[in-house]
Amino acid sequence: QVQLVETGGGLVQPGGSLRLSCAASGRTISRYAMGWFRQAPGKDHEYEREFVAAVSWSGDNTLLADSVKGRFTISRVSAKDTIYLQMNSLKPEDTAVYFCAASPYSVRTMSSAYEYWGPGTQVTVSS
């Protein structure tokens, strides 16, 4: 089974930047689309995870949520099961646990389309 691990979370001031990384290990998922979801404080269910961004297995196709468009960028390392989420101009409402996920489908916005999930990394935007 594929294992996903997120890194790069932390505390940052509003307007600041942060880069999250997600590395996959185990069985190859080179044909999987990968994405980022976030779960705001106080929301305990998986279906409450909000779509943030996704990238196709080739890295050529990306999709961003309207709430982060223009501020966040998702990318995938060529021939590597690693993705990044560059977050700029961070806002307090970006505070959440960010999850990396992998999907056997093309880029999707629904969490149910993703088969594997990382444990999450906390991002806190506060002054």
Side-chain angles (χ1 to χ4, degrees), residues 13-57:
Q13 294 185 343
S17 298
L18 207 60
R19 188 179 77 163
L20 304 183
S21 299
C22 174
S25 61
R27 182 172 60 84
T28 181
I29 56 169
S30 60
R31 294 292 196 274
Y32 278 58
M34 297 183 71
W36 292 94
F37 288 78
R38 64 189 183 186
Q39 192 163 345
K43 298 184 178 180
D44 303 326
H45 303 97
E46 184 173 321
Y47 62 80
E48 294 178 304
R49 292 178 182 176
E50 175 191 16
F51 172 77
V52 177
V55 59
S56 64
W57 66 268

Side-chain angles (χ1 to χ4, degrees), residues 1-7 21-37 49 53 55 76 80-84 98-104 111 113-121:
Q1 183 166 278
V2 174
Q3 297 180 46
L4 304 176
V5 179
E6 306 93 339
T7 58
S21 299
C22 174
S25 61
R27 182 172 60 84
T28 181
I29 56 169
S30 60
R31 294 292 196 274
Y32 278 58
M34 297 183 71
W36 292 94
F37 288 78
R49 292 178 182 176
V55 59
R76 186 167 191 165
K80 298 290 183 180
D81 293 323
T82 304
I83 60 169
Y84 300 96
Y98 283 70
F99 296 89
C100 175
S103 171
S111 61
Y114 293 78
E115 186 174 350
Y116 300 103
W117 294 81
T121 185

